[in-house]
Amino acid sequence: MLEWAWPYAVMLLPLPLLVRWLLPPAAQQSGVALRLPFADEALELAGAASSRFARLPLLALLAWLLLCVAVARPQWVGEVEDLPRSGRDLLLAVDVSGSMAAEDMRIGGRAVDRLTAVQVVAGDFLSRRNGDRVGLLLFGQHAYLMTPLTFDLNHVRYQLETSSIGLAGRETAMGDAIGLAVKRLRETDSPQRVLILLTDGVNTAGALDPLKASELAVSEKVRIYTVGVGGDAGRGGMLGMMLAQPEEIDEATLQKVAERTGGRYFRARNTSELAGIYADIERLEPSIQAGERLRPRSEWFPWPLAAALLVAGLGFLWRVWLANRSMGREQ
């Protein structure tokens, strides 16, 4: 709806009339200052010009009206919006090693690889994390922070959906992924720091042991939820058999990492279980509700101000044109 920041500016509208009424008229000098031949013809031309000039006060009044409207500062006020306040900092660490190519997950009755299942289900989870800053970390043989902590959940989701198997190497550096996540989370001042680690294998690469990395997480007060993704060993699809033999998930290590940091370990053998795990995590780590509420305001005063300047310019040009026309007739 339309609102006015300074509505009392409309009191300026009668100002030109008050000035004309209150100020005394200009003094008229007595006597004749100049004698013109053909005075009658000159007066006739002046009368014709003054009839045209009579239109000018209308333009002046219109310009003044628009100027007063601009001074009143019209604003368009939108619908009430909730501003998400800063909640927890949450990092999503996703395994993109070669074993994630195993096609032992199903979506809509169609067999898909493990990474695709994670992308679909995690994407829906991210869409409900309003109020949290979320980052994305991908790991295989190496660990990389793809998206720093941000409120732009659409960008995090895009980075997850465009990730691919083998992007960070074929092996699994689970400990390095935890260590990098802890390093990034400790740089923040949020009192709630959460890491969700999704993997389908055992720690086969990297310089840092997962249990040692969990000690760093405890010292930095980072809570870790670990998720083992994939069907039972030997049930991978044809593509998974060609690219990487599905491994037994090191559930013991994942469970110890989660318990040490105050989190939980989950096992996802199919997409339904994976979706249920995200629902459980959402209950354990509810997103922060909206904080302050505001109405977005758009300033509209430049439009009447520009219109006032345009009308004033047209009035000036009109006056010049009439004056030149009158002088041409006299000649």
Side-chain angles (χ1 to χ4, degrees):
M1 61 181 177
L2 185 65
E3 290 186 359
W4 304 87
W6 301 329
Y8 295 109
V10 296
M11 299 176 64
L12 297 174
L13 284 174
L15 183 60
L17 298 177
L18 293 176
V19 171
R20 182 175 182 180
W21 178 57
L22 295 176
L23 292 182
Q28 300 290 334
Q29 295 183 354
S30 60
V32 178
L34 181 64
R35 291 184 179 276
L36 291 176
F38 315 110
D40 295 337
E41 290 81 353
L43 290 175
E44 182 180 354
L45 289 174
S50 64
S51 64
R52 297 188 181 95
F53 281 121
R55 304 176 186 175
L56 288 177
L58 296 178
L59 293 177
L61 290 176
L62 179 58
W64 178 254
L65 173 63
L66 292 171
L67 187 61
C68 290
V69 170
V71 172
R73 280 185 61 193
Q75 299 174 334
W76 182 259
V77 182
E79 297 295 331
V80 176
E81 294 183 359
D82 293 325
L83 285 182
R85 62 188 179 188
S86 178
R88 62 185 47 78
D89 288 338
L90 189 152
L91 260 179
L92 190 64
V94 179
D95 186 351
V96 292
S97 62
S99 57
M100 292 291 285
E103 294 184 349
D104 55 1
M105 309 289 278
R106 303 188 71 83
I107 296 179
R110 180 174 58 92
V112 297
D113 59 71
R114 296 169 177 177
L115 180 59
T116 300
V118 169
Q119 290 170 333
V120 172
V121 181
D124 181 65
F125 171 76
L126 288 173
S127 65
R128 297 192 296 268
R129 301 310 301 178
N130 290 329
D132 291 345
R133 289 199 308 170
V134 181
L136 176 64
L137 187 150
L138 301 179
F139 67 97
Q141 187 173 353
H142 305 282
Y144 300 99
L145 183 68
M146 300 299 295
T147 307
L149 293 168
T150 177
F151 287 111
D152 189 355
L153 302 183
N154 290 329
H155 179 67
V156 179
R157 186 172 182 173
Y158 171 78
Q159 289 286 354
L160 176 61
E161 291 175 349
T162 55
S163 60
S164 59
I165 296 171
L167 182 65
R170 312 297 299 184
E171 298 183 68
T172 306
M174 190 191 311
D176 287 1
I178 297 175
L180 179 58
V182 172
K183 178 181 178 181
R184 294 301 181 182
L185 286 170
R186 74 180 179 185
E187 296 173 353
T188 71
D189 55 0
S190 173
Q192 301 184 66
R193 307 166 186 174
V194 179
L195 169 64
I196 300 178
L197 179 77
L198 297 102
T199 183
D200 70 337
V202 297
N203 188 71
T204 58
L208 191 59
D209 180 74
L211 295 180
K212 185 66 176 179
S214 67
E215 295 177 3
L216 298 176
V218 172
S219 64
E220 298 297 337
K221 298 180 180 179
V222 175
R223 188 162 50 253
I224 302 177
Y225 294 93
T226 55
V227 181
V229 181
D232 295 327
R235 296 178 61 185
M238 183 61 67
L239 180 60
M241 295 296 292
M242 290 188 297
L243 295 179
Q245 178 68 28
E247 300 174 333
E248 282 285 358
I249 298 174
D250 189 357
E251 296 189 75
T253 298
L254 293 177
Q255 189 168 2
K256 289 180 181 179
V257 168
E259 290 178 351
R260 285 184 179 182
T261 60
R264 282 182 56 184
Y265 167 68
F266 301 92
R267 182 71 166 90
R269 295 177 177 81
N270 50 60
T271 53
S272 297
E273 291 184 357
L274 185 59
I277 289 170
Y278 279 116
D280 290 339
I281 294 177
E282 191 166 353
R283 284 191 293 269
L284 295 170
E285 298 289 339
S287 59
I288 299 299
Q289 299 300 317
E292 299 179 359
R293 297 165 64 89
L294 60 75
R295 286 180 178 270
R297 296 177 180 269
S298 301
E299 295 284 353
W300 282 14
F301 75 88
W303 299 104
L305 179 60
L309 296 176
L310 178 61
V311 171
L314 291 176
F316 174 76
L317 295 176
W318 176 262
R319 189 179 184 92
V320 170
W321 180 76
L322 286 179
N324 291 335
R325 185 176 180 183
S326 298
M327 291 178 63
R329 286 184 177 181
E330 291 178 3
Q331 293 176 356

